[in-house]
Amino acid sequence: MPINMRSSMVFVPLLLLALVFWLAGCAPEGKQEEAAAPTAILVEPALVPAPASLVRGDGDFELSKDTGILIPEGDEAARAIAVALGRRMADTVGLAPAVLQGGEPAGNISLKRGGPSGEAYSLTVAEDGVTIEAQDDAGLYYGATTFWQLAGNQGAARILIPVLQIEDKPRLQWRGAMLDVSRHFRDTDFVKQFIDWMATNKLNTFHWHLSDDQAWRLEIKKYPKLTEVGAWRVPAGDAARADIDPATGQPRLYGGFYTQDQVRDVVAYAAARFITIVPEIDLPGHASAAVAAYPELGTEPVGAVPSDWGIYYSTFNLEAGTMTFLEDVMDEVLALFPGTFVHIGGDEVATDQWQHSARIKERMAELGLKDVHDIQPYFTSHFSDYLRARGRRLIGWDEILEGGATGEAAIMSWRGTAGGVAAAKAGRQVVMAPAPIYYMDYRQSDLPDEPPARDHIQTLKDVYDFEPVSDELTADEKSAVLGAEFTIFTEHMRLAEQVEHMAFPRGFALAETVWSPPSAKNFDDFVQRLMPHLARMRALGLRPADSAFVPKITLGEAADGQIVVSLSKQVAAGAFRYTLDGARPTSDSALYDAPFAAPVGSTLKVATFNGDQMLAAVRTKALDQNSLRFRAEDELSLCSSTLAIKLVDDAPTDGPREGYLVDIVEPCWIYDAPLMKGVTAIDIAVANLPYNFQIGDLIKKVKLGTPETRDGEIVVYKDTCDTGEELARLPLAPATQSFGITKLHASLKPASDARALCFRVAASHYEPLWAIHEVQLLTGE
């Protein structure tokens, strides 16, 4: 199938050149008539991750209902890949090509053996057919995945794909994502979906975080109490304690676990998508759930499975029976997971219990261990040897370096990049997963509707621009870097949609980093390709964050009394379309190009569009005097950020909950540049949250104001909380019995010259944790 090449480039301008009736996220209401669909569309390549090389030619290939997928006779692996391609195309473009053996390649998509090996592939689009060629199954699968993306995401009777030639292979071997199911359980349907989303972006390693202090999620036949007891807990907070299970008369337990049959099913599902699962079983720390189930394993007893977040002191002891228990567990783990690596955790191991245990010291003497800091290396060495003897390898968080990681153990660097760099320089294989940049439990923006998360903002661009293979390494040392992964620790992600929002599209940015050559990377071009890719992924059920495209609305007061509206967003791509009459904006609505004045009483509705595709959901703002004097909690600044988190409420029991940005060491907020003219009163909406944090000695540094009432107050100061004049004190008593948000009201002393307002919690104890939800300044009282 000859191709007439006219240009050579890594990327091409990525524009949709045809009518788009609707894309995921902006479909018009009501059912579209089938006749309204375009009879032919031309789709420009919008590939994520970008291929190593893409060369354009002249002409187009027509994909239609008559197109089939041709496979080599007797090639069952190719058949499975062809079937998967057909299903994906049915989901996104409404065409399901039949799988054919034998026959002519003309007009069809041919899967062919030959060409590059491993995960590499060659893809040729000619006017008379498509050829995807690879020696190995993985390469054939990735080539099929690329063709699925080339087909676009629009239903049409005929789809025109430009003639082109792609030569592609991955940059790094380990291209991963970690999902923590210990803090919040996700069922196997979600796990499979997550694996699908990984596979469509050429990620190949699913790191499954199956145990931690808050739960043990994996069925172990020999030790059933690990899941009978260890998989369940009472969530923190008054609301959870009040949620009584009628079957037991006790607070309802929250949790779940995976049976071994379910795990086998997930492992097979992942393998069919060329994803290897790396299980994580934490030791010797993060052991609370296991010790709650089997107290004899612990250095000290635990009691119930805990619901606090943070670092627990709970550790496995050094008894011979404990090592036998852990080996028995590993025996069953190895029978379920056929991959090379097993992750043992090894992070945040507190030595306090060991230090104060006479029995531990006896065992240390018996084992020849001179210091409690030798205990973790003892565990690491033992299980490194155990795994090596069974043809497997140990990987652990970078703390395992501190005792001199042994054997063929690999390092996963999470405390920044230093551990990974040190390991690579020492000749150890490394996977880079540094916090905070690859930790997806950090916020993506400061917008009020951003879900609960750690406070430090990691934007899409931040993740995209980060280079995991450090320039501190020589060429030889860089070869020790297996790859990188993003992590999703789920303390603050109760709901599946929150996991999706936090993971993607930032996970797509990492996918491009670990697949595409560095020379091919360009953030603006990535965003252009990402926009149609998001529509494709929504068609597969993903609910990605729109944070990069969301219009941030800033209001000001014009001299004539109108409201000045300014809009901004994180990325350059996309256009704001808005209305002022409360109508839902469309791609034909007014185009924002500069700040504008709007009449008081208007209702602003604004969304971001790329052509007809809505990139960010509609945001609404009332344009009135109250809006000028209103701040949501994300729009307030924190006085400090010692341990700042946007926390989730503990109520209601089911469904969405509000989030509150607060420094849990110093609950204090600043309202910058308030419009104070005529302000006589203030409403502050607050919530009382459980103080469910294990923060060690930081608890001694919690800073609270001096209360004047038993339940405390929110105190309002002029300019600063440390030296400013007190303007109001709002008693917290009305909110003490509330499971949700309570609005407090107080008159405010005149302060027309205030540069800021500062709000501090005055209370005799840090429990409950009080947080501000919103502040409204009031005029005219």
Side-chain angles (χ1 to χ4, degrees):
M1 292 177 285
I3 299 177
N4 177 22
M5 301 300 178
R6 67 169 185 241
S7 63
S8 177
M9 62 191 74
V10 175
F11 301 113
V12 296
L14 303 166
L15 303 172
L16 295 176
L17 302 179
L19 286 174
V20 182
F21 272 68
W22 60 272
L23 296 173
C26 61
E29 295 181 6
K31 184 177 180 181
Q32 287 284 335
E33 294 296 327
E34 188 171 334
T39 57
I41 56 171
L42 174 64
V43 179
E44 285 291 312
L47 303 178
V48 177
S53 171
L54 186 154
V55 179
R56 289 290 298 271
D58 291 325
D60 308 298
F61 167 74
E62 182 179 308
L63 176 66
S64 72
K65 63 181 178 60
D66 297 322
T67 304
I69 305 175
L70 192 64
I71 64 171
E73 290 193 26
D75 192 333
E76 291 306 311
R79 175 181 292 278
I81 292 167
V83 169
L85 172 60
R87 286 173 178 166
R88 278 190 194 157
M89 291 176 63
D91 288 337
T92 52
V93 300
L95 297 174
V99 179
L100 311 171
Q101 285 196 101
E104 293 298 321
N108 291 317
I109 306 157
S110 298
L111 304 188
K112 183 178 177 182
R113 297 294 185 177
S117 61
E119 295 179 301
Y121 67 91
S122 169
L123 191 156
T124 303
V125 178
E127 291 182 329
D128 59 348
V130 175
T131 301
I132 301 168
E133 187 172 15
Q135 288 188 33
D136 298 309
D137 296 346
L140 210 57
Y141 181 83
Y142 292 132
T145 298
T146 296
F147 181 79
W148 166 71
Q149 292 193 12
L150 285 172
N153 59 302
Q154 307 164 59
R158 295 162 53 232
I159 296 170
L160 303 179
I161 300 173
V163 165
L164 52 80
Q165 178 72 44
I166 290 173
E167 301 294 336
D168 201 12
K169 63 180 180 179
R171 174 192 178 196
L172 297 173
Q173 173 185 336
W174 185 302
R175 306 183 302 279
M178 189 220 77
L179 178 62
D180 165 23
V181 294
S182 296
R183 277 50 178 258
H184 288 293
F185 182 70
R186 301 268 71 90
D187 64 24
T188 55
D189 287 343
F190 179 86
V191 172
K192 287 180 176 181
Q193 267 199 310
F194 191 86
I195 287 168
D196 277 331
W197 301 326
M198 290 177 61
T200 53
N201 291 274
K202 301 186 174 74
L203 297 172
N204 69 349
T205 306
F206 176 52
H207 174 180
W208 206 354
H209 189 83
L210 291 164
S211 76
D212 214 300
D213 289 301
Q214 293 80 10
W216 183 287
R217 301 298 188 197
L218 176 63
E219 178 191 28
I220 301 297
K221 299 285 190 180
K222 193 167 185 177
Y223 301 106
K225 287 195 291 185
L226 282 172
T227 48
E228 291 172 359
V229 174
W232 308 92
R233 67 177 185 264
V234 176
D238 293 338
R241 287 190 288 271
D243 180 25
I244 302 301
D245 184 346
T248 64
Q250 300 294 320
R252 195 182 310 275
L253 293 173
Y254 169 82
F257 66 93
Y258 306 105
T259 68
Q260 293 196 1
D261 284 343
Q262 287 176 316
V263 169
R264 291 187 190 95
D265 180 52
V266 171
V267 168
Y269 190 88
R273 289 149 182 80
F274 299 90
I275 289 177
T276 299
I277 299 183
V278 176
E280 181 177 352
I281 303 296
D282 278 357
L283 61 92
H286 289 294
S288 298
V291 174
Y294 291 95
E296 65 272 20
L297 303 174
T299 309
E300 294 181 9
V302 168
V305 176
S307 58
D308 283 6
W309 313 132
I311 302 174
Y312 282 86
Y313 291 165
S314 181
T315 52
F316 289 115
N317 61 38
L318 281 171
E319 300 299 330
T322 298
M323 303 305 284
T324 298
F325 167 89
L326 291 171
E327 288 185 357
D328 291 342
V329 167
M330 285 294 179
D331 287 345
E332 296 194 31
V333 169
L334 297 187
L336 294 170
F337 298 96
T340 300
F341 284 100
V342 174
H343 204 301
I344 66 158
D347 62 312
E348 300 175 331
V349 180
T351 61
D352 301 60
Q353 291 185 356
W354 292 334
Q355 184 71 52
H356 297 105
S357 169
R359 177 57 184 157
I360 287 290
K361 290 177 181 176
E362 289 177 6
R363 285 293 291 155
M364 287 173 59
E366 294 169 10
L367 295 168
L369 305 178
K370 296 180 180 180
D371 186 272
V372 291
H373 296 288
D374 295 332
I375 296 176
Q376 179 169 358
Y378 170 77
F379 275 92
T380 304
S381 177
H382 180 93
F383 284 99
S384 181
D385 292 344
Y386 164 91
L387 290 168
R388 184 170 60 250
R390 291 156 179 80
R392 307 296 185 91
R393 290 181 62 191
L394 180 149
I395 186 169
W397 301 108
D398 55 59
E399 283 95 330
I400 69 172
L401 274 172
E402 293 168 4
T406 59
E408 297 179 342
I411 305 301
M412 186 167 282
S413 185
W414 77 275
R415 294 178 298 176
T417 59
V421 170
K425 285 184 174 294
R428 295 202 170 277
Q429 290 190 314
V430 177
V431 176
M432 301 301 294
I437 190 65
Y438 281 169
Y439 270 49
M440 301 303 168
D441 55 341
Y442 284 84
R443 290 197 297 163
Q444 299 176 73
S445 77
D446 60 358
L447 296 167
D449 53 5
E450 198 69 38
R454 294 173 185 249
D455 176 44
H456 184 72
I457 293 172
Q458 296 289 351
T459 67
L460 178 68
K461 188 175 191 301
D462 292 333
V463 175
Y464 187 86
D465 286 346
F466 179 75
E467 173 49 58
V469 183
S470 173
D471 285 338
E472 298 176 52
L473 301 174
T474 66
D476 286 343
E477 290 165 348
K478 287 179 179 180
S479 67
V481 180
L482 292 174
E485 71 177 36
F486 65 88
T487 65
I488 309 167
F489 285 103
T490 60
E491 287 95 332
H492 312 297
M493 303 178 211
R494 288 177 51 252
L495 305 177
E497 54 262 40
Q498 292 172 332
V499 174
E500 296 168 43
H501 179 102
M502 300 303 285
F504 303 109
R506 290 185 296 183
F508 302 152
L510 176 137
E512 181 141 308
T513 295
V514 294
W515 179 277
S516 306
S519 60
K521 289 188 62 182
N522 177 284
F523 179 70
D524 290 338
D525 183 69
F526 169 73
V527 172
Q528 290 295 324
R529 290 178 281 115
L530 177 66
M531 292 186 289
H533 187 56
L534 288 174
R536 273 196 297 266
M537 296 307 297
R538 289 189 182 103
L540 297 184
L542 177 65
R543 293 164 288 187
D546 59 1
S547 306
F549 303 99
V550 171
K552 183 174 183 178
I553 303 168
T554 303
L555 303 182
E557 193 170 28
D560 61 359
Q562 294 194 93
I563 307 294
V564 177
V565 178
S566 299
L567 303 176
S568 60
K569 53 181 165 45
Q570 291 180 1
V571 299
F576 296 132
R577 299 284 182 171
Y578 69 92
T579 65
L580 294 175
D581 59 0
R584 180 180 174 85
T586 69
S587 58
D588 295 322
S589 298
L591 174 67
Y592 174 88
D593 55 11
F596 63 90
V600 172
S602 304
T603 298
L604 172 69
K605 286 186 178 289
V606 58
T608 309
F609 285 86
N610 176 44
D612 289 339
Q613 179 190 0
M614 186 180 287
L615 299 172
V618 176
R619 266 63 175 184
T620 303
K621 193 81 169 180
L623 305 184
D624 54 30
Q625 291 298 317
N626 279 342
S627 293
L628 289 173
R629 292 167 175 81
F630 172 87
R631 297 282 171 89
E633 41 85 23
D634 290 83
E635 298 169 316
L636 302 172
S637 302
L638 298 178
C639 301
S640 63
S641 56
T642 306
L643 196 46
I645 311 171
K646 186 170 182 179
L647 294 170
V648 65
D649 206 336
D650 61 326
T653 303
D654 299 311
R657 299 177 182 176
E658 293 291 347
Y660 312 94
L661 183 62
V662 58
D663 181 349
I664 66 173
V665 177
E666 184 179 358
C668 174
W669 301 261
I670 298 170
Y671 187 141
D672 288 308
L675 298 177
M676 295 299 292
K677 182 179 180 181
V679 172
T680 59
I682 189 169
D683 286 340
I684 303 180
V686 299
N688 62 336
L689 308 175
Y691 204 99
N692 60 319
F693 309 101
Q694 297 288 318
I695 59 174
D697 289 341
L698 271 180
I699 199 69
K700 301 173 184 176
K701 298 182 180 181
V702 172
K703 185 177 180 179
L704 300 169
T706 303
E708 294 183 355
T709 61
R710 184 190 67 177
D711 296 310
E713 306 87 34
I714 298 289
V715 187
V716 185
Y717 296 93
K718 179 182 177 182
D719 296 332
T720 171
C721 282
D722 293 327
T723 59
E725 175 190 0
E726 182 177 314
L727 301 179
R729 190 173 282 258
L730 290 75
L732 289 165
T736 56
Q737 301 304 312
S738 172
F739 289 157
I741 297 169
T742 302
K743 183 179 289 186
L744 308 177
H745 177 82
S747 297
L748 204 63
K749 292 180 182 179
S752 59
D753 60 341
R755 299 185 305 276
L757 298 177
C758 185
F759 311 97
R760 170 165 285 161
V761 174
S764 57
H765 197 268
Y766 55 78
E767 178 90 33
L769 173 63
W770 291 100
I772 289 178
H773 178 56
E774 59 188 34
V775 176
Q776 178 69 66
L777 303 178
L778 302 170
T779 59
E781 273 198 6

